[in-house]
Every structure is written in C-alpha cells, then in structure tokens.
C-alpha cells in the first residue's frame, strides 16, 4: 500500500463484469473491504462482454504470465458454485491440426504447456475422434488435448464472487452510470455517477470495451479497440439428442479455419475469427435500455458467417442437415499487442486499469491487480501487461485501430516468435535507415522501431561459411548472413545500430542520491564512470537492468529497457531531480571488434587507447566533425565503443565510420548477430532472461549488487534471501546442428524442470547456446530440451562460455 493510502482505503471498481466481480472478491479477501462496484447495467448480467461470453478457458499461451492467469481462473472458478451449479466445467480442450504446419505448431504448444506446468499432450487423429465423435477423422492429422481446460460460466462466477465480497462488506450497485472522475492534488478522489458521487482513494476501471470512455474522464489513455466477434448456435442435432449436461466433450478449436466449437446441450455453439474485423466505437455503444438485446450484442451478419459454416460442415458431418438457429456479433477488446492493460496511472495516482481482459484470464488478472494494490506488487511478472509498455508513437488512435484489428485477424494464426506485424511500418527509423536500406537490411520491428537483423550486402561472406542446415521453423526470420556478421565482429570490426535502446537523462542536485537509492550498484564514482546496475522492487525482484554513465557531477545518462523504467523513476523522483527521455533526439552506433580502435582512433584527437580510455568509462569527444559521447562498453564481448550523438548528426557519424572502416573490412551487423554474440558472452536480456520474478542472485548478477553502499530499494529483501532454489543456467546443445529458439521445456532425469529463456546459434562456439531457468545443477549435467516434440540433448555449461578472462574487451 502506498504511503498516501489510508489504513482502510475506499475502492471504487467501475464495471461488474467478470473482472470487476473477481477483483472485489480478491480485494475483500485481503482485508480491503470498503469496496463499491458500480455498474451502468442491471445486475448480475449488465450487458457487457461477460454477459455473452462463451466461457472458453484454454490455459496454454506463449506468455507465461497469461498461462498463469488462466491457471488461476481454472483453480478459482473450479471451486465455485451457485445453487449447486458449478462455475467451471473441466471438460478439457482439443486443438485440431488439419495441416502439417498446424501439427508442428501443436507440438510447440505442447512444449509451452510443459514449460508452464499445464497438462497436455499431442494425440493422433484416432484419439481426437474418441474425444469428439462428431469429427470426420480423415480430415484431422492430430490434436493437442489439455484435460484441465474447460468452460467458465462467467455470469454465475460473477454471482458467486459477488456474494462472497458482499459478505465481507463490499457493495454492488447496478444502474449507476459513471459520468466523471474527480481528482485532488494529483490523486483520484471520487467517482461521479448519475445517481450520486462516491468518494474514493482508489478507482479501478474494469469497464471492458468501455475502458476508453472511463479513461477519457480520468485523463488517462486506454489504448484498446473494441471489435465484434461472431458467435452462432445450431439447431438441435440428432447426434446430441438426449444430452443431459450443458457440455461433456472438450472445447474444440479448429484454428486452421479460425473457429472454435462448444456444446450447448443438444446444440453446438460456433465462434469465428474468420470474418472481416468489425471495429466498434466505445463512445457510441447504446445504453442497456436502448440496445436491442444488450450493449455488447450486435446483430448477426449471416454473409460474414457463411464461409465458417461451410468449414464447420466440412469438419463435422453431423452438421450437414442442420442450420444456424441464432447468432450475434459480440463485442470485446483488443490491444495493439493482444495483452491486457494493467496498473496504476502516474498521471492520476490511485486510478487503476484492469482492461482488455478475457474471461480466460479474469481471475488471475484480478488476483494480480489486488496484490498490486494491497501489497505494492503482484506476485507474478506482469511487465507484458503493464499499461506503460507502449511507446508514445504506439498510442495514436490510428495505430491502436490498425494493430488491434490485426490482433483479431491473427488470433489463431501460427505466429513465429520473431514475426512482426507488417503495418503500420515503417514508423520509427534511426538516422542510419537509408544507409541500412542501401546495404539490404532485413528489418524486423520492436517498440515501433525498424531494427536491422542482417544485411544482404554481407551475403558473400556467408557463402564462405559452412553452417548446419536449419529446419523450416528455426530458419524463419534468420539468415546464415547473421553468422557471417558475427564472425566479422569477432575477427575485424562491425557497426551496430543501437539507436532503439532507450536513453534517459537524469540530472539535478539530488541526482546521485536518488540513483543510489533506486539502484543496486555503487554510482558514487567520478564523472566519466559507467556502471552496470539493477532496478529492484521491494521484494528484491529485478524490475530492469541499467547502464548508468556519470557525465557530470549532477548529470547521468541511463541506458534503460522500456517506458516502464522511466515511469518507475518518475514515481520516486524528488523535486530536485529531472528525468528526461532523450532517445528520439539522439542515436547510437556500436563499433565493436578487435579492429575497433584501429578504426576510431585516426578519426579523433582524443586518446582512445586502453590506458587513456579504460573499460566502462565515458568521455566527450569528436569523431571526425561529429561531437559524440563515447562509452567503452561491449555487449558482444569485443573491444569497442558505443558512440552517441544527436539525431541530426547521426548520418554523418555513420558515414564517417563507414568510410574509415573500409580498409579494415568493416561490416554493418544486425540484431541477429548481436543476440548470438551476447549469449556466447552470457549477457542477460531483461524481460526475456529475467524479470521481477527473479532476484540478482538467481539471475547470476550478484556482481551488480553492492550491499555495503547504503540503502536501496530491495536491499532488505536481499538480506533475507536464502540460497537460490533456481538459477539462470547456460546450456550448450550437444548436437552442433540442433537449434532451439526459446520457451522450450528443459527435462532433467526425464522430468520437466524448467524452461529456456533465450537461445541462438553461437557462431564462435559452433553450437547453439541456450539459457534456462533450472534448479541449481553442476556444470556437465546432461539435460534435454524439447523442440517440436523431439528431445534434444544438452549439457550445463560453465559461464562465461566465451573469453572468461575478458582479454578481448580489455585491450
């Protein structure tokens, strides 16, 4: 609880759908009993997305966080009932493959399930037929069966949780339309409705697709797009005649045609994502009493559904003589990346979002938000859902609409982990973009930035290298050119565009004291020092890792990871500290390789020798005509510098380095080579290899913690920490031709024991490097990594894998 919250805070939750009801239950269970839930419609079915939701709960997801949310939903709703009727039917789930591509995807999903602790297995077509007798098994190649998935009765779960919350003191008020949010001294103070004003210390918007409406009242951006989704019920089927239960067979997902199917007694319900996106303006949704059925239910459009109906009849012959009895287009929310929007706004303290949440994840989200409000942080890592995660360039209504609609289209698509959305692109480009295009850069996208992953200009270098052949999946968004660029970095020198990495300037009389309190390492060094350090939360979890350069007594440049880092620092900054994001006005070239000094030194009158410019030092200098802030850092394990300058001079800097580097065999190198080299060196990537679920000691970052420097956030928790029960562990795949990509399960003695965080082919080591969270294991221990259903042998390796003496960097 924040220091500004009273001992018994008054909470107003806006929205009595599945998220609002679950949140009231979770908050009151933790002792926050002064909870008022306001709903514009009647209770218990007020007409939002919850009121029409088909209730599918599939736990397995590429996101570990969403899988955890869904698992808690299964656990919680599975223990609830109303008048003897359970709130969850554990009928299981069955995802079908009718193509070889989908069958491979199901094997990958089975790997995700094993990584995240969900029961599931890939089964043959004959087993699919046993589970779903209405199937034409000749159309099916196999399926992924998850016995613990099932159907949530969302409105019933709302009733059950409402009753529990009311017994603890909460109140639920229907027919209260919110008309305004009041504030005082930067904090929320009340919620205004058409039937009175409700004082509040905390307000949570759990309004579903009305989230942008509530957000506008609070002055808080809510980047989500409501879209209509088709759902239809068939006429009674003779094959299901006499059905006693609402559903007894697994939920069926026919993802090759963007469809799912569930039972409704002697009928089938069919949901389709195969139709055109149907965006809905949340500001024009009719009120409950003005809607033909309910606000979230729009008229069914049969022409849109016709192709899906044909696909269902192709798969389920029992539908041949049936038809659609009823249908509707139901509205629910999508964000630009398909993830929920969670957390407290810094613009209006005490105003929280719990938006863009499906029934699948509702209970888990509510638990996380309740923990966040009561305890100061959720137990689970939620950085993928944090409301601050989008860059300003990703928040325009046009961007949200375009990406949100694409998320709808791609719900059931086979998506590669490196696959970016194609539009709107390009959005953000570095000053070097035109030169990169001339070199044949292959761009992927992240944070709105165009990021070169390799350059076709280096193809002749790749022709000289023998590399193991890759399977079709791992060969996507990868090129052997990346290996040639990595080798050129190790042997000569390469230029890397580091512009997309976030840069913050922290200045003012209190800057040093502030950063000392916020981070783990000792920053009390002379100007010119660069320090690797960590941001922790109060539990000792790693919120981020930072590179901090002290450029003057009261001015620091910070290399950060995401908008959440700036938000965290701004929340804690005292009045004598200024924090400014300087990323867009600056740029950076990484110059790395054994010939980096040979390239840079002739271009400057400043001393770039090892004695004159030591490792982890920074200085102002000129490179040719360009003023730069040079930092002697290396994330690829080679001699070199990061050279920063203003965006207007960036192209001149690139051209200066490129021209001078020709005699040294310079190449432009991309993110793919960068990732390979950093993994060989054991450098961690925050948000991938570690999150706030992990401590520095578990992540192998104890060197970045100085317990003797004085107090810092998380210090007390680290003092209480015992021996780590898990560690971020380096693995080398035994077979030089084997490759894994990340998130695969790792087996120890035949049992799933952890999962891969990131992996890449180590071009110097000649085999794939993978990092994984595992119990403490001795170097040399044999393990197996499951890749697309195959167990790949690997061995625990001693770190660092490459240049343990650091001789290549410090020369």
């Amino acid at each position: 609880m924040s220091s500004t919250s009273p001992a018994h805070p008054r909470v107003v939750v806006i929205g009595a759908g599945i998220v609002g009801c679950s949140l009231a239950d979770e908050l009151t269970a933790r002792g926050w009993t002064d909870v008022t839930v306001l709903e514009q419609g009647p209770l218990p079915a007020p007409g939002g997305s919850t009121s029409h939701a088909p209730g599918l709960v599939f736990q397995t997801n590429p996101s570990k966080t969403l899988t955890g949310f869904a698992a808690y939903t299964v656990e919680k709703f599975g223990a609830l009932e109303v008048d003897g009727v359970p709130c969850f039917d554990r009928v299981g789930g069955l995802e079908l493959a009718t193509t070889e591509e989908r069958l491979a995807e199901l094997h990958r999903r089975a790997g995700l399930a094993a990584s995240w602790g969900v029961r599931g297995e890939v089964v043959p077509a004959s087993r699919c037929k046993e589970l779903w007798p209405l199937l034409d098994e000749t159309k099916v190649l196999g399926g992924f069966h998850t016995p613990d998935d099932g159907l949530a009765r969302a409105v019933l779960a709302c009733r059950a949780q409402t009753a529990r919350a009311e017994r603890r003191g909460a109140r639920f008020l229907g027919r209260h339309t919110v008309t305004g949010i009041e504030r005082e001294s930067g904090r929320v103070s009340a919620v205004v409705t058409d039937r009175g004003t409700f004082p509040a210390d905390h307000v949570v918007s759990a309004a579903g697709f009305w989230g942008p409406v509530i957000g506008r009242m609070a002055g808080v951006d809510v980047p989500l797009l409501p879209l209509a989704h088709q759902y239809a019920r068939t006429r009674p089927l003779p094959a299901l005649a006499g059905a006693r239960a609402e559903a007894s067979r697994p939920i069926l997902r026919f993802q090759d045609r963007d469809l799912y199917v569930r039972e409704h007694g002697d009928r089938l319900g069919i949901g389709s994502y195969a139709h055109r996106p149907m965006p809905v303006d949340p500001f024009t949704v009719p009120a409950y009493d003005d809607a033909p059925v309910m606000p979230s239910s729009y008229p069914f459009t049969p022409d849109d559904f016709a192709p899906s109906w044909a696909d269902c009849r192709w798969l389920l012959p029992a539908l041949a003589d049936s038809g659609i009895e009823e249908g509707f287009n139901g509205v629910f929310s999508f964000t630009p990346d398909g993830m929920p929007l969670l957390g407290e706004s810094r613009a209006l303290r005490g105003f929280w979002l719990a938006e863009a949440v499906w029934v699948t994840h509702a209970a888990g989200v509510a638990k996380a938000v309740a923990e966040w409000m009561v305890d100061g942080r959720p137990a689970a890592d939620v950085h993928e859902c944090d409301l601050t995660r989008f860059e300003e360039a990703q928040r325009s209504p046009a961007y949200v609409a375009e990406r949100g609609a694409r998320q709808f289209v791609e719900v059931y698509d086979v998506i590669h982990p490196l696959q970016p959305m194609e539009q709107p692109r390009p959005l953000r480009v570095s000053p070097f973009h035109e030169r990169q295009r001339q070199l044949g850069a292959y761009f992927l996208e992240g944070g709105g930035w165009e990021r070169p992953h390799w350059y076709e200009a280096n193809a002749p270098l790749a022709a000289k290298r023998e590399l193991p052949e890759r399977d079709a999946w791992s060969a996507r968004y990868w090129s052997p050119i990346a290996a040639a660029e990595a080798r050129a970095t190790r042997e000569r020198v390469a230029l890397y565009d580091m512009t997309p990495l976030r840069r913050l300037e922290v200045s003012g009389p209190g800057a040093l004291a502030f950063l000392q309190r916020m981070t783990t390492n000792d920053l009390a060094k002379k100007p010119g020092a660069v320090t690797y350090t960590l941001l922790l939360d109060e539990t000792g979890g790693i919120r981020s890792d930072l590179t901090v350069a002290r450029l003057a007594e009261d001015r620091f440049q910070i290399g950060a990871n995401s908008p959440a880092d700036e938000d965290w620092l701004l929340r804690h900054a005292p009045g004598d500290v200024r924090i400014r994001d300087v990323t867009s006005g600056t740029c950076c070239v990484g110059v790395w390789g054994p010939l980096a000094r040979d390239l840079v030194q002739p271009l400057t009158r400043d001393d770039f020798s090892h004695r004159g410019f030591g490792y982890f030092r920074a200085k102002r200098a000129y490179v040719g005509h360009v003023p730069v802030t040079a930092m002697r850092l290396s994330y690829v394990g080679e001699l070199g510098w990061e050279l920063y300058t203003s965006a207007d001079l960036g192209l001149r800097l690139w051209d200066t380095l490129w021209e001078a580097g020709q005699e040294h065999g310079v190449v432009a190198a991309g993110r793919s080579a960068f990732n390979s080299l950093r993994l060989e060196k054991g450098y961690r990537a925050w948000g991938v290899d570690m999150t706030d679920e992990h401590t520095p000691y578990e992540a192998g970052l104890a060197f970045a913690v100085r317990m003797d420097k004085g107090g810092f956030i998380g210090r007390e928790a680290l003092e209480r920490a015992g021996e780590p029960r898990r560690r971020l562990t380096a693995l080398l795949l035994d077979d030089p031709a084997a490759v894994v990509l990340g998130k695969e399960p790792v087996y120890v003695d035949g049992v799933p024991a952890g999962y891969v965080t990131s992996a890449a082919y180590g071009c110097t080591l000649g085999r794939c490097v993978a990092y994984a969270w595992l119990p403490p294991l001795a170097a040399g221990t044999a393990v197996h990594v499951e890749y697309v259903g195959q167990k790949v042998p690997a061995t625990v390796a001693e770190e660092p894998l490459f240049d343990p003496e650091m001789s290549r960097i410090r020369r």
Side-chain angles (χ1 to χ4, degrees):
M1 188 190 311
S2 68
S3 60
T4 54
S5 297
H8 300 286
R10 300 164 296 180
V11 180
V12 173
V13 178
I14 302 172
I18 191 64
V19 178
C21 293
S22 297
L23 180 58
D25 184 45
E26 296 288 339
L27 285 171
T28 55
R30 288 165 173 77
W32 280 24
T33 56
D34 190 349
V35 176
T36 300
V37 181
L38 301 175
E39 174 54 60
Q40 63 183 344
L43 300 175
S49 300
T50 299
S51 300
H52 72 244
L56 281 65
V57 180
F58 281 89
Q59 298 172 82
T60 306
N61 191 285
S63 166
K64 180 175 180 287
T65 298
L66 289 190
T67 300
F69 287 166
Y72 184 72
T73 298
V74 169
E75 175 190 340
K76 184 178 187 182
F77 291 179
L80 296 176
E81 62 176 43
V82 176
D83 299 330
V85 180
C87 295
F88 185 80
D89 283 337
R90 201 181 295 254
V91 295
L94 180 62
E95 303 178 36
L96 299 177
T98 59
T99 66
E100 291 291 347
E101 181 187 24
R102 181 68 61 178
L103 186 59
E105 171 70 358
L106 295 188
H107 279 289
R108 287 188 289 269
R109 288 181 62 75
L112 291 171
S115 290
W116 313 146
V118 176
R119 287 201 304 156
E121 62 174 337
V122 176
V123 297
S126 58
R127 177 59 177 153
C128 295
K129 178 71 171 179
E130 291 175 10
L131 292 165
W132 250 86
L134 303 187
L135 280 175
D136 179 353
E137 66 179 304
T138 66
K139 307 289 177 56
V140 177
L141 301 180
F144 175 45
H145 180 223
T146 46
D148 298 322
D149 291 339
L151 294 165
R153 294 183 175 88
V155 174
L156 212 61
C158 285
R159 287 177 57 192
Q161 293 177 103
T162 295
R164 293 204 308 198
E166 285 179 331
R167 287 195 294 271
R168 301 184 190 116
R171 58 177 174 167
F172 290 73
L173 302 176
R175 299 290 190 176
H176 281 65
T177 299
V178 174
T179 59
I181 307 291
E182 293 186 349
R183 67 186 68 205
E184 186 177 326
S185 302
R187 283 195 64 89
V188 70
S189 60
V191 176
V192 182
T193 77
D194 58 351
R195 298 177 63 179
T197 298
F198 296 83
D201 303 299
H202 296 272
V203 173
V204 184
S205 178
F209 59 79
W210 285 284
V213 178
I214 302 300
R216 181 175 292 182
M217 296 177 192
V220 174
D221 182 38
V222 181
L224 66 80
L225 176 71
L227 287 150
H229 160 60
Q230 290 200 298
Y231 191 78
R233 295 194 192 199
T234 67
R235 295 196 297 263
L237 300 177
L240 298 178
R244 297 181 179 179
E246 180 184 354
S248 59
R249 296 176 177 86
I251 316 160
L252 198 66
R253 288 213 278 194
F254 182 18
Q255 290 145 306
D256 287 326
R257 293 293 186 272
D258 297 307
L259 294 166
Y260 62 83
V261 181
R262 57 153 295 182
E263 295 170 293
H264 291 282
D266 62 356
R267 295 164 171 80
L268 293 183
I270 302 166
S272 172
Y273 294 99
H275 55 82
R276 61 191 168 89
M278 303 177 186
V280 174
D281 183 350
F283 293 90
T284 63
V285 173
Y288 186 91
D289 294 326
D290 298 328
V293 180
M294 64 175 100
S296 64
S297 181
Y298 279 60
F300 190 62
T301 49
D303 289 347
D304 289 307
F305 195 75
S308 293
W309 178 241
D311 288 334
C312 286
R313 295 174 71 189
W314 176 81
L315 181 70
L316 305 169
L319 296 178
D321 298 323
S322 185
I324 300 301
E325 184 173 75
E326 60 180 347
F328 65 96
N329 293 355
V331 183
F332 62 140
S333 303
F334 285 81
T335 59
D337 61 2
M339 299 294 286
L341 295 167
L342 310 179
E344 182 190 18
S345 168
R346 181 171 47 82
L348 181 59
R349 298 294 182 91
F351 183 81
W352 297 76
L353 294 184
E355 295 290 4
V357 182
W358 296 5
V359 171
T360 303
H361 310 114
V365 162
K367 176 176 180 286
V369 173
E371 291 169 340
W372 210 339
M373 295 173 72
V374 176
D375 303 326
R377 63 151 284 175
D381 163 48
V382 295
H383 82 274
E384 295 173 305
C385 310
D386 194 303
L387 62 86
T388 66
R389 68 186 181 274
F390 294 116
E391 304 279 351
E392 186 176 1
Q394 297 173 299
R395 290 179 170 272
S396 71
Y399 185 95
V400 173
E402 195 163 351
R403 286 290 170 100
R406 192 64 200 169
Q407 287 294 336
F408 177 92
V409 170
E410 294 183 354
V411 161
Y412 283 166
D413 285 3
V414 176
I415 302 294
H416 193 277
L418 293 176
Q419 182 176 340
M421 287 194 174
E422 294 304 319
Q423 298 297 331
R425 291 178 61 193
L427 184 63
R428 308 176 78 187
V429 297
S430 80
F432 325 129
H433 183 70
E434 185 55 35
R435 295 292 185 266
Q436 293 165 344
R437 289 182 63 238
Q438 292 167 359
L439 292 169
Y442 186 90
F443 292 100
L444 298 179
E445 183 248 17
W449 288 98
E450 294 296 314
R451 302 184 182 205
H453 275 243
W454 64 84
Y455 295 84
E456 289 296 330
N458 296 322
L461 301 177
K464 302 175 184 178
R465 302 287 178 186
E466 289 288 334
L467 289 175
E469 188 173 344
R470 290 195 169 209
D471 67 281
W473 185 251
S474 64
R476 292 182 67 183
Y477 304 103
W478 182 84
S479 169
I481 296 172
E485 292 172 359
R487 182 68 67 175
T489 307
R490 292 275 189 246
E491 295 176 350
R492 299 189 304 279
V493 61
L495 304 185
Y496 288 81
D497 182 0
M498 305 302 288
T499 301
L501 300 186
R502 178 169 297 273
R503 291 173 290 286
L504 305 176
E505 182 183 83
V506 179
S507 60
L512 175 60
F514 168 63
L515 291 173
Q516 286 284 72
R517 180 169 60 87
M518 296 300 296
T519 72
T520 59
N521 215 332
D522 189 2
L523 306 180
K525 302 171 183 176
K526 293 180 180 179
V530 182
T531 307
Y532 178 80
T533 188
L534 306 172
L535 287 178
L536 304 184
D537 61 24
E538 295 288 356
T539 70
I542 303 171
R543 284 192 57 93
S544 189
D545 63 341
L546 309 176
T547 302
V548 180
R550 191 173 191 182
L551 302 181
E553 289 291 334
D554 61 354
R555 184 165 61 88
F556 297 80
Q557 179 173 308
I558 295 178
N561 286 296
S562 76
D565 294 343
E566 181 185 11
D567 184 80
W568 178 256
L569 293 172
L570 286 168
R571 287 175 187 270
H572 291 83
D576 60 349
V577 172
R578 183 185 181 206
I579 300 170
R580 189 166 63 99
D581 186 334
V582 298
T583 310
S584 297
T586 57
C587 59
C588 178
V589 182
V591 186
W592 291 311
L595 302 183
R597 185 175 287 117
D598 297 306
L599 192 163
V600 175
Q601 184 62 82
L603 300 174
T604 180
R605 296 183 181 182
D606 294 276
D607 186 358
F608 273 57
S609 69
H610 182 60
R611 181 183 295 273
F613 197 157
Y615 188 55
F616 263 76
R617 299 291 299 173
K619 68 165 66 173
R620 292 286 294 169
Y622 283 90
V623 172
H625 297 91
V626 180
V628 300
T629 298
M631 298 186 194
R632 190 167 168 200
L633 308 173
S634 174
Y635 287 99
V636 300
E638 296 294 334
L639 170 69
W641 291 267
E642 292 179 357
L643 302 177
Y644 297 89
T645 192
S646 56
D648 60 321
L649 291 167
L651 190 58
R652 184 60 178 263
L653 175 62
W654 179 277
D655 287 346
T656 300
L657 294 167
W658 184 255
E659 182 180 348
Q662 294 307 302
E663 65 178 286
H664 304 293
V666 69
V667 302
R671 296 287 299 180
S672 188
F674 177 91
N675 199 44
S676 169
L677 297 170
R678 71 101 181 162
L679 282 170
E680 288 186 330
K681 194 61 183 166
Y683 293 143
R684 278 70 166 139
W686 185 86
V688 178
D689 297 315
M690 59 197 182
T691 68
D692 62 7
E693 290 185 343
H694 311 110
T695 70
Y697 305 140
E698 294 172 327
L701 298 175
F703 68 89
V705 179
R706 293 289 182 268
M707 297 294 283
D708 57 354
K709 75 160 186 171
F712 57 85
I713 293 176
R715 186 180 190 278
E716 292 76 10
L718 294 185
E719 288 176 332
R720 299 190 298 268
E723 276 296 308
R725 291 181 293 179
R726 59 183 176 179
R727 293 185 186 277
L728 188 59
T729 305
L731 304 177
L732 282 175
L733 271 57
D734 294 351
D735 182 354
V739 173
V740 299
L741 300 179
K743 299 188 178 181
E744 297 90 354
V746 181
Y747 290 75
V748 178
D749 297 327
V751 178
Y755 59 91
V756 174
T757 57
S758 55
Y761 182 77
C763 306
T764 315
L765 301 175
R767 63 189 58 213
C768 185
V769 180
Y771 273 78
W773 281 104
L774 291 168
L777 298 171
T781 301
V783 301
H784 287 85
V785 182
E786 183 179 322
Y787 178 74
V788 197
Q790 302 297 314
K791 299 291 198 305
V792 180
T795 303
V796 174
E798 196 79 51
E799 287 193 85
L801 304 174
F802 176 77
D803 188 26
E805 298 83 15
M806 300 284 283
S807 60
R808 298 176 71 90
I809 293 177
R810 292 175 169 148
R811 60 181 175 183

